[in-house]
Amino acid sequence: MGAARSNRFRLGPIPNYSATTANGTRVSCAGCCLPLPLGCLASVVALLVPLAAAVMRRRRDR
């Protein structure tokens, strides 16, 4: 019987994901670029949602 599977995701200055498969193989992935697209997406959404709400409110009031 294989070892129990374990996964770990850590979000810090450098995001890191590590896992141990059922047969004991260790897999890890780290990168510093992951927060950039997430931050850009959050910024765009934070700007566009109030703008879209204001436009919809103006159209409804006409």
Side-chain angles (χ1 to χ4, degrees):
M1 186 176 269
R5 208 175 156 197
S6 78
N7 297 326
R8 183 171 181 196
F9 181 75
R10 186 180 62 123
L11 187 64
I14 298 177
N16 185 349
Y17 173 78
S18 63
T20 304
T21 62
N23 65 359
T25 305
R26 185 144 178 86
V27 179
S28 65
C29 178
C32 62
C33 296
L34 180 62
L36 294 176
L38 293 177
C40 289
L41 179 64
S43 298
V44 168
V45 168
L47 292 173
L48 289 182
V49 167
L51 181 64
V55 168
M56 291 178 67
R57 196 176 311 122
R58 273 191 183 174
R59 286 188 181 185
R60 186 185 57 186
D61 291 341
R62 284 186 183 186

